[in-house]
Amino acid sequence: MTISRNSSRKWSIQSVVTADLGFAKKARNFAAGLDVPMAFIEKRRISNDSKAEALTLIGDVFDRDAVIVDDEVDTGGSIAQAVNIVKEYGARDVYVSFVHPLLSGNAGRAGWANCPVTRFIATDTIPIPEDKLGFFGDRLTILSVAPLLGEVIRRANEGRSVGEMFNE
């Protein structure tokens, strides 16, 4: 996969990293579609609530551009830890892609401004509040889900398969 940054440089994703084993199956499909290897962040729960600590990386990102993928970002703490671990293991550029930007509470205050992320990529399924946009700087790309939803509606109205859109 090549993502155009500007006319003088292109980014090439060479590893897909999942920040959460719950998203591993979808991340595997993403990696297979790009024909690149996959890595996992190993996490451990540190209490009875939802807090987890990232421990290590399973897989190889050394001297590769990596994209960390997840379904949703709530506070961003796990993503920040994942980025730091991927960088510790020698990744060059790190991209973070997630579908739903929940960004609750103190999201972004976990150091995103200083987080070594080349680009954050999210969808518009949930609007990002103005006060949280600043945490991304100029590194945020928001992709619209409107064309996808429009195609789903069109297919449903025509009696055509929606699953076919996703190779199902």
Side-chain angles (χ1 to χ4, degrees):
M1 170 182 193
T2 301
I3 303 170
S4 179
R5 177 179 183 175
N6 60 39
S7 60
S8 64
R9 171 138 189 250
K10 300 226 182 236
W11 302 317
S12 178
I13 301 302
Q14 297 156 326
S15 288
V16 171
V17 179
T18 179
D20 183 315
L21 287 179
F23 199 65
K25 183 177 179 184
K26 289 196 184 338
R28 166 62 61 210
N29 293 340
F30 190 47
L34 296 173
D35 194 28
V36 298
M38 184 173 156
F40 304 87
I41 299 292
E42 179 189 9
K43 293 194 304 191
R44 171 182 61 195
R45 296 273 168 224
I46 53 178
S47 62
N48 286 335
D49 59 16
S50 63
K51 294 192 191 298
E53 174 186 20
L55 299 174
T56 191
L57 179 78
I58 301 168
D60 187 16
V61 296
F62 182 76
D63 201 30
R64 297 178 183 173
D65 293 340
V67 60
I68 299 172
V69 295
D70 208 347
D71 54 349
E72 64 183 35
V73 172
D74 187 10
T75 65
S78 291
I79 289 293
Q81 288 180 14
V83 168
N84 289 329
I85 285 178
V86 167
K87 287 300 279 186
E88 285 174 21
Y89 277 79
R92 290 186 311 233
D93 286 340
V94 177
Y95 304 85
V96 173
S97 177
F98 50 96
V99 180
H100 308 294
L102 297 176
L103 306 178
S104 65
N106 289 330
R109 288 184 174 83
W112 284 8
N114 299 321
C115 204
V117 173
T118 301
R119 173 129 337 255
F120 291 94
I121 304 161
T123 69
D124 61 355
T125 59
I126 300 171
I128 299 175
E130 286 292 322
D131 65 319
K132 302 230 169 123
L133 285 172
F135 295 127
F136 296 99
D138 63 352
R139 301 173 296 164
L140 177 63
T141 298
I142 299 175
L143 303 175
S144 175
V145 297
L148 175 69
L149 295 177
E151 180 63 13
V152 167
I153 292 167
R154 186 174 71 78
R155 286 173 179 255
N157 282 327
E158 293 175 353
R160 294 178 47 214
S161 171
V162 172
E164 189 177 86
M165 292 173 55
F166 307 102
N167 297 322
E168 294 177 354

